[in-house]
Amino acid sequence: MSLSPGDRSSAELPDGDRPTPQVVIEPDADRLARAVAEALVARLAAAQAVHGSASVVLTGGGMGAAVLEHVAGLVAEPVREVVDWQQVDFWWGDERFVPADSDDRNERHARAALLDRLDLPGFRVHAMAASGGDLATPEEAAEDYLAELREYAAAGRDLPRFDVLLLGMGPEGHVASIFPDSPAVRDDRPVLAVRDCPKPPPTRVSLGFAAINAAEEVWLVVSGAEKAPAVARALAGAPAEEIPAAGVQGTRATRWLLDAAAAGELPRAAG
């Protein structure tokens, strides 16, 4: 099998008994962000056609913000799929437990890139609690977020429907705030507090594997050559304790959306 830069078709890699992940490669980070934005708009429109509403779990980082900025650009463009943004629920995969006005907040970047431009009803934006408010600890914030997830879940379920869950990935393979060989990687709760995180800020709230893997589709959006070794290890089936990204999967689809640099160490067929 050959995976070439710019090949936007899905390529399948063997992955044991799990649903086979799809790999899509774009030439560079900007074209990757735009392609993901276009795919996200199409997926949310399709979800609304079936359910009347849609939901997405956002990720932080540079690529997360870049995708949302491209989505904002698409809102003003004539596109085939039209999303009713008033009927989209926005959740987060993780958040830094810092004051609400901190530039470290994923919520702030998402609002600046997209959410504040959409005139959304407040109840559609499900931000995780900040420090300095009514909830004194990340443990309390995690419990609060789990309660909100349950509030929006169908009867008899703990989690609402997630149509798409976006994830970035760190150079060491972390996703959300689940880092290699950390307590979070072995925690079976849907939402958890993370302390002593190896990447600052050290105190966070994160969805756990139980919530991430409940999403219909999980999209890992990864850019940069420094992440290529972890991408290759994850797709080769590394243990989740070593490469947490290897432990995520959607119930319907798992998509690795990469730029050419991040895909640089994936196996290529001879010739």
Side-chain angles (χ1 to χ4, degrees), residues 180-253:
D181 197 29
S182 68
V185 84
R186 292 178 286 273
D187 198 314
D188 60 2
R189 291 174 295 175
V191 190
L192 44 125
V194 177
R195 293 182 178 270
D196 301 320
C197 179
K199 179 181 178 181
T203 308
R204 305 177 178 209
V205 177
S206 180
L207 297 187
F209 284 136
I212 292 171
N213 292 342
E216 292 194 2
E217 298 189 16
V218 174
W219 297 5
L220 295 106
V221 185
V222 187
S223 171
E226 73 280 6
K227 300 178 182 179
V231 168
R233 288 196 64 199
L235 284 166
E241 291 80 3
E242 298 178 9
I243 305 288
V248 303
Q249 57 181 318
T251 61
R252 291 180 51 189

Side-chain angles (χ1 to χ4, degrees), residues 95-172:
E95 184 57 276
R96 289 82 180 266
F97 194 64
V98 294
D101 60 356
S102 170
D103 283 339
D104 285 328
R105 291 276 296 178
N106 290 332
E107 178 194 1
R108 280 178 60 86
H109 294 289
R111 287 187 178 279
L114 175 64
L115 303 185
D116 286 347
R117 310 183 194 188
L118 297 178
D119 192 26
L120 297 166
F123 68 88
R124 292 292 186 188
V125 180
H126 307 276
M128 292 177 171
S131 67
D134 294 336
L135 304 176
T137 68
E139 288 79 12
E140 291 177 358
E143 287 295 325
D144 179 73
Y145 209 62
L146 179 57
E148 186 163 0
L149 289 166
R150 286 173 173 161
E151 179 183 348
Y152 282 80
R157 301 181 65 88
D158 283 337
L159 298 168
R161 187 188 75 253
F162 297 146
D163 295 300
V164 178
L165 186 145
L166 299 170
L167 289 173
M169 188 195 74
E172 76 297 272

